mmCIF file of all heavy atoms in Angstrom:
data_model
loop_
_atom_site.group_PDB
_atom_site.id
_atom_site.type_symbol
_atom_site.label_atom_id
_atom_site.label_comp_id
_atom_site.label_asym_id
_atom_site.label_seq_id
_atom_site.Cartn_x
_atom_site.Cartn_y
_atom_site.Cartn_z
ATOM 1 N N ALA A 1 0.746 1.035 -13.605
ATOM 2 C CA ALA A 1 1.675 -0.075 -13.367
ATOM 3 C C ALA A 1 2.478 0.162 -12.086
ATOM 4 O O ALA A 1 2.759 -0.786 -11.333
ATOM 5 C CB ALA A 1 2.612 -0.241 -14.557
ATOM 6 N N ALA A 2 2.846 1.410 -11.813
ATOM 7 C CA ALA A 2 3.597 1.727 -10.597
ATOM 8 C C ALA A 2 2.747 1.472 -9.355
ATOM 9 O O ALA A 2 3.255 0.988 -8.335
ATOM 10 C CB ALA A 2 4.061 3.180 -10.630
ATOM 11 N N LEU A 3 1.448 1.774 -9.431
ATOM 12 C CA LEU A 3 0.557 1.490 -8.308
ATOM 13 C C LEU A 3 0.428 -0.018 -8.097
ATOM 14 O O LEU A 3 0.461 -0.501 -6.961
ATOM 15 C CB LEU A 3 -0.822 2.107 -8.560
ATOM 16 C CG LEU A 3 -1.856 1.908 -7.445
ATOM 17 C CD1 LEU A 3 -1.408 2.593 -6.152
ATOM 18 C CD2 LEU A 3 -3.227 2.439 -7.887
ATOM 19 N N ALA A 4 0.310 -0.764 -9.189
ATOM 20 C CA ALA A 4 0.240 -2.222 -9.100
ATOM 21 C C ALA A 4 1.530 -2.794 -8.519
ATOM 22 O O ALA A 4 1.495 -3.739 -7.709
ATOM 23 C CB ALA A 4 -0.034 -2.816 -10.479
ATOM 24 N N ASP A 5 2.651 -2.208 -8.900
ATOM 25 C CA ASP A 5 3.943 -2.674 -8.383
ATOM 26 C C ASP A 5 4.050 -2.410 -6.883
ATOM 27 O O ASP A 5 4.553 -3.261 -6.128
ATOM 28 C CB ASP A 5 5.076 -1.961 -9.127
ATOM 29 C CG ASP A 5 6.455 -2.410 -8.637
ATOM 30 O OD1 ASP A 5 6.758 -3.601 -8.776
ATOM 31 O OD2 ASP A 5 7.203 -1.560 -8.131
ATOM 32 N N PHE A 6 3.567 -1.253 -6.440
ATOM 33 C CA PHE A 6 3.549 -0.959 -5.005
ATOM 34 C C PHE A 6 2.720 -2.005 -4.263
ATOM 35 O O PHE A 6 3.117 -2.496 -3.201
ATOM 36 C CB PHE A 6 2.971 0.435 -4.745
ATOM 37 C CG PHE A 6 2.616 0.676 -3.301
ATOM 38 C CD1 PHE A 6 3.598 1.004 -2.379
ATOM 39 C CD2 PHE A 6 1.306 0.548 -2.866
ATOM 40 C CE1 PHE A 6 3.285 1.201 -1.042
ATOM 41 C CE2 PHE A 6 0.984 0.738 -1.532
ATOM 42 C CZ PHE A 6 1.973 1.071 -0.623
ATOM 43 N N LEU A 7 1.583 -2.371 -4.831
ATOM 44 C CA LEU A 7 0.709 -3.358 -4.200
ATOM 45 C C LEU A 7 1.402 -4.706 -4.092
ATOM 46 O O LEU A 7 1.327 -5.381 -3.062
ATOM 47 C CB LEU A 7 -0.583 -3.476 -5.005
ATOM 48 C CG LEU A 7 -1.754 -4.212 -4.364
ATOM 49 C CD1 LEU A 7 -2.131 -3.585 -3.031
ATOM 50 C CD2 LEU A 7 -2.952 -4.210 -5.308
ATOM 51 N N GLU A 8 2.116 -5.093 -5.137
ATOM 52 C CA GLU A 8 2.827 -6.376 -5.110
ATOM 53 C C GLU A 8 3.968 -6.368 -4.101
ATOM 54 O O GLU A 8 4.218 -7.360 -3.417
ATOM 55 C CB GLU A 8 3.367 -6.694 -6.508
ATOM 56 C CG GLU A 8 2.297 -7.131 -7.494
ATOM 57 C CD GLU A 8 1.513 -8.332 -6.988
ATOM 58 O OE1 GLU A 8 2.150 -9.320 -6.550
ATOM 59 O OE2 GLU A 8 0.273 -8.288 -6.999
ATOM 60 N N ARG A 9 4.662 -5.231 -4.005
ATOM 61 C CA ARG A 9 5.767 -5.145 -3.050
ATOM 62 C C ARG A 9 5.268 -5.121 -1.609
ATOM 63 O O ARG A 9 5.959 -5.565 -0.695
ATOM 64 C CB ARG A 9 6.609 -3.892 -3.331
ATOM 65 C CG ARG A 9 7.490 -4.029 -4.587
ATOM 66 C CD ARG A 9 8.408 -2.841 -4.768
ATOM 67 N NE ARG A 9 7.713 -1.667 -5.274
ATOM 68 C CZ ARG A 9 7.434 -0.578 -4.579
ATOM 69 N NH1 ARG A 9 7.793 -0.503 -3.295
ATOM 70 N NH2 ARG A 9 6.805 0.457 -5.117
ATOM 71 N N ALA A 10 4.046 -4.616 -1.415
ATOM 72 C CA ALA A 10 3.479 -4.535 -0.070
ATOM 73 C C ALA A 10 2.923 -5.883 0.385
ATOM 74 O O ALA A 10 2.780 -6.127 1.584
ATOM 75 C CB ALA A 10 2.357 -3.499 -0.046
ATOM 76 N N ARG A 11 2.653 -6.777 -0.562
ATOM 77 C CA ARG A 11 1.958 -8.016 -0.238
ATOM 78 C C ARG A 11 2.794 -9.022 0.560
ATOM 79 O O ARG A 11 2.314 -9.559 1.552
ATOM 80 C CB ARG A 11 1.456 -8.677 -1.531
ATOM 81 C CG ARG A 11 0.416 -9.753 -1.305
ATOM 82 C CD ARG A 11 0.049 -10.434 -2.621
ATOM 83 N NE ARG A 11 -0.212 -9.482 -3.680
ATOM 84 C CZ ARG A 11 -1.353 -8.812 -3.822
ATOM 85 N NH1 ARG A 11 -2.324 -8.984 -2.949
ATOM 86 N NH2 ARG A 11 -1.518 -7.969 -4.821
ATOM 87 N N PRO A 12 4.030 -9.340 0.144
ATOM 88 C CA PRO A 12 4.776 -10.405 0.836
ATOM 89 C C PRO A 12 4.979 -10.110 2.318
ATOM 90 O O PRO A 12 5.507 -9.064 2.690
ATOM 91 C CB PRO A 12 6.122 -10.435 0.101
ATOM 92 C CG PRO A 12 5.823 -9.862 -1.238
ATOM 93 C CD PRO A 12 4.788 -8.809 -0.994
ATOM 94 N N GLY A 13 4.515 -11.027 3.158
ATOM 95 C CA GLY A 13 4.704 -10.885 4.590
ATOM 96 C C GLY A 13 3.840 -9.831 5.246
ATOM 97 O O GLY A 13 4.031 -9.512 6.418
ATOM 98 N N SER A 14 2.867 -9.267 4.509
ATOM 99 C CA SER A 14 2.081 -8.177 5.078
ATOM 100 C C SER A 14 1.271 -8.626 6.285
ATOM 101 O O SER A 14 1.036 -7.850 7.210
ATOM 102 C CB SER A 14 1.152 -7.570 4.020
ATOM 103 O OG SER A 14 0.225 -8.535 3.545
ATOM 104 N N SER A 15 0.854 -9.889 6.305
ATOM 105 C CA SER A 15 0.041 -10.367 7.422
ATOM 106 C C SER A 15 0.832 -10.455 8.719
ATOM 107 O O SER A 15 0.256 -10.583 9.799
ATOM 108 C CB SER A 15 -0.568 -11.730 7.084
ATOM 109 O OG SER A 15 0.453 -12.672 6.819
ATOM 110 N N SER A 16 2.166 -10.400 8.628
ATOM 111 C CA SER A 16 2.998 -10.458 9.838
ATOM 112 C C SER A 16 3.408 -9.071 10.324
ATOM 113 O O SER A 16 4.077 -8.946 11.347
ATOM 114 C CB SER A 16 4.256 -11.296 9.576
ATOM 115 O OG SER A 16 5.086 -10.659 8.622
ATOM 116 N N LEU A 17 3.008 -8.025 9.613
ATOM 117 C CA LEU A 17 3.373 -6.666 9.996
ATOM 118 C C LEU A 17 2.531 -6.191 11.168
ATOM 119 O O LEU A 17 1.462 -6.728 11.453
ATOM 120 C CB LEU A 17 3.181 -5.716 8.813
ATOM 121 C CG LEU A 17 4.081 -5.937 7.594
ATOM 122 C CD1 LEU A 17 3.687 -4.981 6.479
ATOM 123 C CD2 LEU A 17 5.547 -5.747 7.953
ATOM 124 N N SER A 18 3.011 -5.149 11.829
ATOM 125 C CA SER A 18 2.250 -4.562 12.931
ATOM 126 C C SER A 18 1.011 -3.860 12.386
ATOM 127 O O SER A 18 0.920 -3.542 11.191
ATOM 128 C CB SER A 18 3.114 -3.542 13.674
ATOM 129 O OG SER A 18 3.354 -2.404 12.865
ATOM 130 N N THR A 19 0.083 -3.603 13.292
ATOM 131 C CA THR A 19 -1.136 -2.887 12.910
ATOM 132 C C THR A 19 -0.807 -1.529 12.302
ATOM 133 O O THR A 19 -1.378 -1.136 11.280
ATOM 134 C CB THR A 19 -2.037 -2.695 14.145
ATOM 135 O OG1 THR A 19 -2.448 -3.982 14.627
ATOM 136 C CG2 THR A 19 -3.267 -1.867 13.806
ATOM 137 N N MET A 20 0.133 -0.805 12.914
ATOM 138 C CA MET A 20 0.491 0.525 12.411
ATOM 139 C C MET A 20 1.119 0.443 11.031
ATOM 140 O O MET A 20 0.857 1.293 10.165
ATOM 141 C CB MET A 20 1.415 1.233 13.394
ATOM 142 C CG MET A 20 0.750 1.598 14.695
ATOM 143 S SD MET A 20 1.882 2.480 15.804
ATOM 144 C CE MET A 20 0.861 2.609 17.278
ATOM 145 N N ALA A 21 1.962 -0.578 10.796
ATOM 146 C CA ALA A 21 2.597 -0.736 9.488
ATOM 147 C C ALA A 21 1.564 -1.064 8.425
ATOM 148 O O ALA A 21 1.619 -0.549 7.297
ATOM 149 C CB ALA A 21 3.665 -1.827 9.550
ATOM 150 N N LEU A 22 0.597 -1.921 8.767
ATOM 151 C CA LEU A 22 -0.459 -2.249 7.813
ATOM 152 C C LEU A 22 -1.318 -1.021 7.504
ATOM 153 O O LEU A 22 -1.707 -0.798 6.359
ATOM 154 C CB LEU A 22 -1.337 -3.371 8.359
ATOM 155 C CG LEU A 22 -0.793 -4.790 8.220
ATOM 156 C CD1 LEU A 22 -1.661 -5.766 9.011
ATOM 157 C CD2 LEU A 22 -0.711 -5.214 6.762
ATOM 158 N N ALA A 23 -1.604 -0.230 8.543
ATOM 159 C CA ALA A 23 -2.390 0.988 8.336
ATOM 160 C C ALA A 23 -1.655 1.956 7.416
ATOM 161 O O ALA A 23 -2.260 2.602 6.550
ATOM 162 C CB ALA A 23 -2.688 1.655 9.669
ATOM 163 N N GLU A 24 -0.337 2.050 7.591
ATOM 164 C CA GLU A 24 0.458 2.935 6.732
ATOM 165 C C GLU A 24 0.426 2.468 5.283
ATOM 166 O O GLU A 24 0.297 3.284 4.355
ATOM 167 C CB GLU A 24 1.897 2.989 7.231
ATOM 168 C CG GLU A 24 2.769 3.981 6.466
ATOM 169 C CD GLU A 24 4.168 4.097 7.033
ATOM 170 O OE1 GLU A 24 4.439 3.542 8.111
ATOM 171 O OE2 GLU A 24 5.001 4.757 6.380
ATOM 172 N N LEU A 25 0.527 1.142 5.058
ATOM 173 C CA LEU A 25 0.433 0.607 3.700
ATOM 174 C C LEU A 25 -0.931 0.926 3.092
ATOM 175 O O LEU A 25 -1.035 1.294 1.919
ATOM 176 C CB LEU A 25 0.652 -0.904 3.702
ATOM 177 C CG LEU A 25 2.083 -1.402 3.898
ATOM 178 C CD1 LEU A 25 2.093 -2.919 4.006
ATOM 179 C CD2 LEU A 25 2.983 -0.945 2.744
ATOM 180 N N ASP A 26 -1.981 0.751 3.893
ATOM 181 C CA ASP A 26 -3.336 1.004 3.403
ATOM 182 C C ASP A 26 -3.515 2.469 3.035
ATOM 183 O O ASP A 26 -4.025 2.804 1.958
ATOM 184 C CB ASP A 26 -4.343 0.586 4.470
ATOM 185 C CG ASP A 26 -5.778 0.676 3.984
ATOM 186 O OD1 ASP A 26 -6.069 0.132 2.907
ATOM 187 O OD2 ASP A 26 -6.613 1.296 4.671
ATOM 188 N N GLU A 27 -3.080 3.366 3.930
ATOM 189 C CA GLU A 27 -3.175 4.790 3.643
ATOM 190 C C GLU A 27 -2.374 5.158 2.398
ATOM 191 O O GLU A 27 -2.836 5.942 1.560
ATOM 192 C CB GLU A 27 -2.664 5.615 4.833
ATOM 193 C CG GLU A 27 -3.620 5.690 5.992
ATOM 194 C CD GLU A 27 -3.142 6.658 7.061
ATOM 195 O OE1 GLU A 27 -2.306 7.531 6.750
ATOM 196 O OE2 GLU A 27 -3.605 6.532 8.209
ATOM 197 N N THR A 28 -1.172 4.612 2.287
ATOM 198 C CA THR A 28 -0.315 4.931 1.148
ATOM 199 C C THR A 28 -0.958 4.500 -0.159
ATOM 200 O O THR A 28 -0.932 5.239 -1.159
ATOM 201 C CB THR A 28 1.066 4.265 1.297
ATOM 202 O OG1 THR A 28 1.685 4.734 2.495
ATOM 203 C CG2 THR A 28 1.970 4.594 0.114
ATOM 204 N N PHE A 29 -1.553 3.309 -0.173
ATOM 205 C CA PHE A 29 -2.219 2.847 -1.400
ATOM 206 C C PHE A 29 -3.319 3.823 -1.797
ATOM 207 O O PHE A 29 -3.397 4.246 -2.967
ATOM 208 C CB PHE A 29 -2.816 1.451 -1.204
ATOM 209 C CG PHE A 29 -3.624 0.991 -2.394
ATOM 210 C CD1 PHE A 29 -3.005 0.429 -3.502
ATOM 211 C CD2 PHE A 29 -5.004 1.152 -2.414
ATOM 212 C CE1 PHE A 29 -3.742 0.040 -4.615
ATOM 213 C CE2 PHE A 29 -5.758 0.763 -3.523
ATOM 214 C CZ PHE A 29 -5.122 0.201 -4.628
ATOM 215 N N HIS A 30 -4.162 4.184 -0.853
ATOM 216 C CA HIS A 30 -5.297 5.065 -1.184
ATOM 217 C C HIS A 30 -4.817 6.459 -1.585
ATOM 218 O O HIS A 30 -5.415 7.087 -2.473
ATOM 219 C CB HIS A 30 -6.268 5.126 -0.007
ATOM 220 C CG HIS A 30 -7.102 3.896 0.149
ATOM 221 N ND1 HIS A 30 -8.303 3.722 -0.504
ATOM 222 C CD2 HIS A 30 -6.894 2.755 0.845
ATOM 223 C CE1 HIS A 30 -8.809 2.537 -0.194
ATOM 224 N NE2 HIS A 30 -7.972 1.929 0.620
ATOM 225 N N GLN A 31 -3.747 6.939 -0.975
ATOM 226 C CA GLN A 31 -3.235 8.256 -1.342
ATOM 227 C C GLN A 31 -2.538 8.226 -2.694
ATOM 228 O O GLN A 31 -2.633 9.195 -3.472
ATOM 229 C CB GLN A 31 -2.316 8.771 -0.241
ATOM 230 C CG GLN A 31 -3.109 9.174 1.012
ATOM 231 C CD GLN A 31 -2.289 9.522 2.232
ATOM 232 O OE1 GLN A 31 -2.831 9.756 3.314
ATOM 233 N NE2 GLN A 31 -0.979 9.560 2.087
ATOM 234 N N ARG A 32 -1.867 7.127 -3.015
ATOM 235 C CA ARG A 32 -1.267 7.009 -4.346
ATOM 236 C C ARG A 32 -2.345 6.917 -5.419
ATOM 237 O O ARG A 32 -2.202 7.478 -6.518
ATOM 238 C CB ARG A 32 -0.342 5.787 -4.399
ATOM 239 C CG ARG A 32 0.947 5.968 -3.618
ATOM 240 C CD ARG A 32 1.864 4.770 -3.719
ATOM 241 N NE ARG A 32 2.358 4.588 -5.077
ATOM 242 C CZ ARG A 32 3.585 4.225 -5.386
ATOM 243 N NH1 ARG A 32 4.479 4.021 -4.429
ATOM 244 N NH2 ARG A 32 3.953 4.071 -6.637
ATOM 245 N N LEU A 33 -3.418 6.212 -5.099
ATOM 246 C CA LEU A 33 -4.548 6.159 -6.028
ATOM 247 C C LEU A 33 -5.129 7.557 -6.228
ATOM 248 O O LEU A 33 -5.410 7.975 -7.359
ATOM 249 C CB LEU A 33 -5.616 5.210 -5.484
ATOM 250 C CG LEU A 33 -6.937 5.155 -6.263
ATOM 251 C CD1 LEU A 33 -6.711 4.629 -7.679
ATOM 252 C CD2 LEU A 33 -7.951 4.271 -5.525
ATOM 253 N N MET A 34 -5.295 8.291 -5.131
ATOM 254 C CA MET A 34 -5.808 9.648 -5.222
ATOM 255 C C MET A 34 -4.879 10.523 -6.062
ATOM 256 O O MET A 34 -5.339 11.353 -6.859
ATOM 257 C CB MET A 34 -5.940 10.235 -3.811
ATOM 258 C CG MET A 34 -6.384 11.692 -3.752
ATOM 259 S SD MET A 34 -8.097 11.937 -4.271
ATOM 260 C CE MET A 34 -8.954 11.251 -2.850
ATOM 261 N N ALA A 35 -3.573 10.354 -5.916
ATOM 262 C CA ALA A 35 -2.614 11.158 -6.678
ATOM 263 C C ALA A 35 -2.765 10.953 -8.182
ATOM 264 O O ALA A 35 -2.481 11.866 -8.965
ATOM 265 C CB ALA A 35 -1.188 10.834 -6.242
ATOM 266 N N LEU A 36 -3.229 9.768 -8.589
ATOM 267 C CA LEU A 36 -3.424 9.500 -10.021
ATOM 268 C C LEU A 36 -4.532 10.356 -10.623
ATOM 269 O O LEU A 36 -4.616 10.497 -11.839
ATOM 270 C CB LEU A 36 -3.742 8.020 -10.255
ATOM 271 C CG LEU A 36 -2.652 7.006 -9.903
ATOM 272 C CD1 LEU A 36 -3.085 5.607 -10.315
ATOM 273 C CD2 LEU A 36 -1.330 7.364 -10.562
ATOM 274 N N SER A 37 -5.367 10.942 -9.767
ATOM 275 C CA SER A 37 -6.424 11.829 -10.278
ATOM 276 C C SER A 37 -5.848 13.137 -10.795
ATOM 277 O O SER A 37 -6.507 13.848 -11.570
ATOM 278 C CB SER A 37 -7.438 12.135 -9.168
ATOM 279 O OG SER A 37 -6.867 13.019 -8.197
#
């Protein structure tokens, strides 16, 4: 649920973020998913 909540919080306005900010969100999602292992 915490991973899903992170995804929802990252969604609003994400298309207006810089390339670096979007890359950071993407990396963070995948690393949080990895941490669940």
Side-chain angles (χ1 to χ4, degrees):
L3 181 63
D5 180 62
F6 166 80
L7 193 57
E8 286 304 311
R9 286 186 284 108
R11 196 184 313 281
S14 62
S15 60
S16 66
L17 295 176
S18 69
T19 297
M20 292 182 185
L22 280 171
E24 185 176 352
L25 285 175
D26 186 51
E27 284 187 20
T28 300
F29 174 82
H30 285 273
Q31 288 172 186
R32 288 182 66 141
L33 174 63
M34 176 69 73
L36 296 185
S37 72

